[in-house]
Amino acid sequence: MDKPSSFKDLNLIPQLEKALTKQGYTTPTPIQAKSIPGLLLGKDMIGIAQTGTGKTAAFVLPILQRMTEKYPRTIRALVLAPTRELAAQIGESFSTYGEFLKFKHTVIFGGVSQGKQVEALSKGVDILVATPGRLLDLMNQKKLTLNDIEFFVLDEADRMLDMGFIHDIKKIILKLPHKRQSLFFSATMSPQVNALAKPLLKDPIHVEVTAQATTVEKIKQCLFFVDQSEKERLLLELLKQKHLISILIFTRTKHRANKVVTFLNRNNIYADAIHGNKSQNARTKAIKDFKTGKIKVLVATDIAARGIDIPDISHVINFELPNEPESYVHRIGRTARAGAEGTAYSFCSAEERSFLNDIERLIKQKIEVMQHKFHSETAKNAVGAAAKPAGRSKKPYSKHFKPKHSFRK
Ligand code: AMP
């Protein structure tokens, strides 16, 4: 079967079909159509796909279906995810698609006390979704074993590597039974990602979906040249437009994310931030408030936003451009999920000009420049050292000053 155009063609069990119907999903996304048939046969898989392509259902559905062959209560499926938010979302997908099945799952991640997680494990679960650090921690404390794993998923492998989880992952993999079905997902392929995938998979099916280009094409992208000092005023001006309904704003740093939230709240626009310094409860609350429309603006850093599924974002605003051009594609992709259309506004000050050049080179297009009252010719025309953040062109630190953190790259 080449390209099933309906879930009916995929031979899913009635309990899963029912859950899909309840969600209103009738047509598999390309990654689902390409992977589910092979996965139902027990094949290993390597999937090159980013969030927004429907990749979660592509592995959750076949795993649930294959699990129904028996019902012993022991951890049979393990999904590793890089962030707590993504882990939580995968857990939600198991709830959604598994609603009419009897399996129990739990999600474990760091940053919160382990008590409740250990309690959930002790009651017995079939499916475990985890971030690597906390999982290893609990394994070392003998709170769980992976001896009965039949299904193993490594999600967002590239981000796992970026976040330095490689050693944890390798330790976890060593504890898995050899006889298992393994699935490996990554948004990008690099030699490092390949080196991680290769020993893990046996004769895998390869599925690659080119969400990046198609996603970018569907998004209306607008560029605002503006001085750093005028960005807040420009933001306020844009937020006054009525059609901006749910807005995700990106900043490069946690500090800036907090500043933007304070500024907006002071101007009676309800906003909240998600970033690594926020407690898990605060992040969960912010995302919930955003989803329910209690707040209309969510401000996020790249890592925090990674993998979170927030449907119905009308606009992404890059208050600051990312220093890694790939992050631009990830960011704006948040506004055109699963077929929806979206708009991305990007602010570019003089010192971000070189980031803009990198982005336009990556997406192979010039972003449309908007006319507005805060327009800055200085930003537009910046070159050389003026087109980079000040820290980057400075001389190295004097020997009397030791920076606490080194700059990345
Ligand atoms: P993911 O890439 O797994 O994060 O999924 C992105 C979004 O697409 C989620 O909100 C899913 O619920 C949704 N989705 C997944 N599969 C389908 C489908 N076949 N049809 C419509 N939406 C889907």
Side-chain angles (χ1 to χ4, degrees):
M1 196 184 333
D2 210 9
K3 234 186 167 189
S5 56
S6 153
F7 276 114
K8 296 251 175 294
D9 302 332
L10 289 173
N11 295 325
L12 292 171
I13 53 176
Q15 295 95 320
L16 294 177
E17 279 195 358
K18 195 169 162 189
L20 287 165
T21 308
K22 196 168 166 189
Q23 290 304 304
Y25 301 164
T26 50
T27 315
T29 64
I31 188 159
Q32 292 162 1
K34 286 179 190 165
S35 56
I36 291 176
L39 292 179
L40 285 175
L41 294 173
K43 301 284 287 179
D44 280 4
M45 164 178 176
I46 180 158
I48 306 299
Q50 62 176 150
T51 305
T53 53
K55 71 182 163 73
T56 316
F59 66 79
V60 170
L61 291 168
I63 287 179
L64 283 172
Q65 176 144 336
R66 281 177 51 77
M67 284 181 77
T68 55
E69 285 162 19
K70 46 190 175 176
Y71 278 89
R73 182 131 290 161
T74 174
I75 307 173
R76 295 166 60 203
L78 171 66
V79 182
L80 284 186
T83 64
R84 320 164 210 204
E85 281 80 11
L86 183 61
Q89 251 162 51
I90 295 170
E92 274 175 32
S93 293
F94 275 107
S95 300
T96 306
Y97 303 121
E99 183 181 347
F100 304 106
L101 294 167
K102 294 190 202 116
F103 298 115
K104 282 218 262 180
H105 73 268
T106 199
V107 182
I108 62 174
F109 44 77
V112 293
S113 79
Q114 68 174 46
K116 279 192 184 149
Q117 299 175 0
V118 172
E119 197 187 315
L121 287 169
S122 69
K123 286 185 183 152
V125 295
D126 308 279
I127 299 151
L128 181 61
V129 185
T131 54
R134 176 57 60 92
L135 175 62
L136 258 188
D137 227 16
L138 296 185
M139 283 162 66
N140 290 338
Q141 294 176 47
K142 309 242 174 321
K143 301 286 186 200
L144 63 102
T145 82
L146 303 179
N147 295 344
D148 299 320
I149 294 294
E150 297 166 44
F151 308 95
F152 173 59
V153 182
L154 186 61
D155 201 5
E156 304 214 339
D158 50 350
R159 191 53 50 154
M160 295 265 202
L161 295 177
D162 287 352
M163 293 171 77
F165 283 139
I166 180 80
H167 299 297
D168 287 355
I169 293 170
K170 284 188 171 164
K171 282 185 202 153
I172 293 167
I173 292 171
L174 280 176
K175 300 284 180 197
L176 296 174
H178 286 289
K179 191 173 173 311
R180 58 165 201 259
Q181 185 176 12
S182 301
L183 284 62
F184 184 100
F185 290 88
S186 183
T188 52
M189 222 350 157
S190 66
Q192 290 87 336
V193 169
N194 202 21
L196 181 62
K198 231 175 163 188
L200 199 66
L201 306 168
K202 286 186 205 115
D203 186 24
I205 47 173
H206 285 254
V207 177
E208 185 161 355
V209 289
T210 50
Q212 294 209 351
T214 47
T215 308
V216 173
E217 275 160 24
K218 265 194 305 193
I219 299 165
K220 185 168 160 47
Q221 300 172 69
C222 308
L223 180 62
F224 296 77
F225 285 114
V226 55
D227 292 338
Q228 192 63 32
S229 58
E230 296 280 29
K231 280 187 177 179
E232 288 185 342
R233 285 172 47 176
L234 171 60
L235 179 64
L236 208 53
E237 196 75 14
L238 289 172
L239 292 181
K240 281 189 202 150
Q241 300 174 51
K242 286 214 173 52
H243 61 279
L244 270 77
I245 302 156
S246 57
I247 303 122
L248 183 58
I249 298 181
F250 283 97
T251 61
R252 278 199 302 275
T253 64
K254 302 167 199 170
H255 175 67
R256 177 70 66 188
N258 288 338
K259 281 188 81 167
V260 172
V261 168
T262 308
F263 169 77
L264 291 177
N265 287 339
R266 213 183 289 137
N267 284 280
N268 300 320
I269 293 174
Y270 297 109
D272 208 342
I274 48 166
H275 55 63
N277 283 1
K278 293 260 177 182
S279 73
Q280 182 56 30
N281 288 343
R283 291 204 232 179
T284 309
K285 181 176 181 307
I287 292 170
K288 190 168 161 232
D289 287 349
F290 187 67
K291 278 185 179 172
T292 56
K294 203 167 155 194
I295 54 171
K296 107 175 190 172
V297 182
L298 191 64
V299 186
T301 54
D302 289 295
I303 296 264
R306 176 83 188 180
I308 326 170
D309 177 27
I310 312 168
D312 304 327
I313 292 169
S314 68
H315 291 72
V316 163
I317 299 182
N318 292 310
F319 190 85
E320 293 176 308
L321 290 180
N323 47 356
E324 288 164 0
E326 291 81 9
S327 296
Y328 174 83
V329 180
H330 284 302
R331 285 179 178 190
I332 71 167
R334 314 315 304 266
T335 179
R337 316 291 302 271
E341 287 191 358
T343 308
Y345 292 155
S346 298
F347 296 179
C348 177
S349 62
E351 56 274 28
E352 294 171 308
R353 193 67 178 81
S354 62
F355 297 156
L356 175 64
N357 297 343
D358 293 343
I359 290 165
E360 291 187 329
R361 205 170 303 132
L362 178 79
I363 62 173
K364 298 192 180 74
Q365 69 184 83
K366 289 268 176 213
I367 307 172
E368 187 186 352
V369 179
M370 307 308 284
Q371 289 309 317
H372 59 100
K373 65 180 180 198
F374 302 105
H375 176 81
S376 163
E377 277 295 300
T378 318
K380 188 177 171 201
N381 298 322
V383 287
K388 295 190 172 85
R392 298 177 165 241
S393 51
K394 273 191 188 148
K395 295 216 165 69
Y397 295 99
S398 82
K399 62 182 175 192
H400 302 296
F401 176 70
K402 287 210 176 77
K404 246 170 142 182
H405 308 286
S406 57
F407 286 112
R408 288 178 69 201
K409 277 198 226 159

